[in-house]
Amino acid sequence: MSPQIDHFKFHVGSNTQPGHGELSVLFSGEGKPHPNHQIGPAVHNYYLIHTVMSGHGIFETDGTRYECSKGDTFVIFPDTLFTYKAHDSDPWHYRWVAFRGHMAGPILASIGISPAHPIIACSDYRALIPLYRKMQQTLEHTPFPELADLEASGLLRILLKEFGELNADKLTFNSLTIIPDMERQIKQAVRYLSYQFAKPIAIDDLSRSLGYHRTHLSKMFKQYTGLSPMQFLLKVRMERARELLTGQVHLSIDQVASSVGYSDALYFSKQFRKTFGSSPTEYRSNHRTEHS
């Protein structure tokens, strides 16, 4: 029997070009099945999430039975036996998304969803519906399947973020770590310096952007990393310079200097010698000799 026949309502958008990376949507849709409509017992080879918008039903997985109603979300895991069945007089109406990817399991675990905890209860699911709807529409109507895959996987990540927020205050295990504000700010500063090292960086500007006085930021930064912001920035720049000198032999010393945030190649060379005990040219030459 086709899904359209045993449903009052059934719509689905399928991904014709699913990716093979971290996370990729396979299909997404909406259904309101007839009373007592049942799927399973069965096993899937992908992840499948349903969010109930109205009505009632039963979800059973791994030997545990859950009664689900409006606002509940249930998650089916790959290679895990499941059954779900619509209520006999008030069948549920739900939206769903199926996906795969090598990061799917870890991401779900990080937001408190696992085979042992496959249910998320939500009194207000309105923020979820536009995400489901957009995923379905993207997969149904796009003339560019590869772009649809990118968009749908992005929407799925946002949906999972919403589930994480819904689940956060109900977690009884340490799947989500609440990071103190200062530590979060320091990690933000570390990421900024680690990725923006090639640009002119003023620690005063960085401090203001994080809302701290330079002295206080420097003190806390050193407490967390063991280095001052400037020492950390120098370390990042020098390590990257060493990589470029040994891996990008076609680059001149001026080009290496510019690539790691120094407009003055002479000053860069002095900093490099101070760090590694030899000039950039000597370091590159010695590396070639060692590996020839």
Side-chain angles (χ1 to χ4, degrees):
M1 183 180 292
S2 72
Q4 287 82 359
I5 293 175
D6 54 17
H7 283 70
F8 293 113
K9 176 186 289 188
F10 185 89
H11 302 286
V12 64
S14 296
N15 189 349
T16 61
Q17 296 286 341
H20 299 279
E22 292 185 352
L23 213 58
S24 184
V25 173
L26 301 177
F27 53 87
S28 183
E30 174 187 11
K32 183 175 174 61
H34 292 160
N36 291 318
H37 173 260
Q38 179 173 319
I39 300 292
V43 173
H44 285 329
N45 62 351
Y46 50 80
Y47 297 85
L48 181 59
I49 296 177
H50 289 74
T51 295
V52 181
M53 298 185 291
S54 64
H56 297 79
I58 299 295
F59 171 57
E60 186 172 340
T61 183
D62 216 16
T64 304
R65 180 184 174 97
Y66 304 89
E67 296 186 5
C68 299
S69 57
K70 180 180 178 179
D72 290 333
T73 292
F74 61 93
V75 182
I76 295 169
F77 282 75
D79 303 319
T80 302
L81 190 66
F82 70 88
T83 301
Y84 56 98
K85 182 178 180 180
H87 194 271
D88 57 4
S89 62
D90 185 21
W92 47 18
H93 176 195
Y94 44 46
R95 284 187 175 271
W96 68 80
V97 58
F99 56 98
R100 68 185 183 195
H102 66 264
M103 285 302 296
I107 289 173
L108 289 173
S110 75
I111 58 176
I113 302 174
S114 67
H117 299 85
I119 304 294
I120 303 171
C122 173
S123 59
D124 186 357
Y125 61 87
R126 287 175 296 179
L128 308 178
I129 302 308
L131 297 170
Y132 277 114
R133 183 182 297 118
K134 182 61 175 174
M135 272 190 287
Q136 177 189 330
Q137 291 173 344
T138 294
L139 297 175
E140 280 183 312
H141 303 301
T142 181
F144 305 107
E146 294 86 354
L147 299 183
D149 178 61
L150 288 174
E151 182 174 5
S153 63
L155 291 165
L156 174 60
R157 286 178 177 274
I158 298 173
L159 181 69
L160 295 176
K161 185 272 296 184
E162 294 288 342
F163 287 138
E165 291 186 351
L166 292 171
N167 225 19
D169 62 347
K170 301 178 181 65
L171 296 182
T172 56
F173 49 92
N174 191 30
S175 63
L176 287 179
T177 302
I178 306 301
I179 301 175
D181 185 64
M182 188 66 209
E183 183 179 350
R184 180 178 59 80
Q185 297 282 48
I186 294 302
K187 287 185 175 181
Q188 185 176 339
V190 166
R191 285 194 297 271
Y192 180 83
L193 294 175
S194 297
Y195 296 128
Q196 303 297 327
F197 61 86
K199 298 180 180 179
I201 293 177
I203 302 304
D204 284 338
D205 293 339
L206 177 61
S207 302
R208 281 194 295 270
S209 70
L210 296 175
Y212 295 101
H213 188 275
R214 175 181 177 137
T215 302
H216 182 62
L217 176 68
S218 296
K219 178 181 177 182
M220 299 306 297
F221 194 99
K222 190 165 187 175
Q223 179 178 320
Y224 279 97
T225 68
L227 301 170
S228 70
M230 287 306 299
Q231 289 171 333
F232 183 85
L233 177 60
L234 177 64
K235 180 176 181 291
V236 171
R237 284 174 165 171
M238 292 298 104
E239 290 295 337
R240 179 56 178 158
R242 182 163 63 173
E243 291 175 3
L244 291 175
L245 286 167
T246 57
Q248 302 291 335
V249 294
H250 62 284
L251 294 178
S252 68
I253 302 303
D254 282 357
Q255 289 169 333
V256 171
S258 177
S259 297
V260 297
Y262 293 95
S263 57
D264 185 338
L266 180 60
Y267 180 69
F268 160 70
S269 296
K270 289 180 179 178
Q271 293 296 99
F272 192 92
R273 179 183 291 277
K274 186 185 298 184
T275 303
F276 296 113
S278 61
S279 72
T281 301
E282 292 168 344
Y283 187 90
R284 173 178 276 172
S285 177
N286 292 339
H287 182 269
R288 285 177 177 173
T289 301
E290 291 172 3
H291 291 80
S292 61

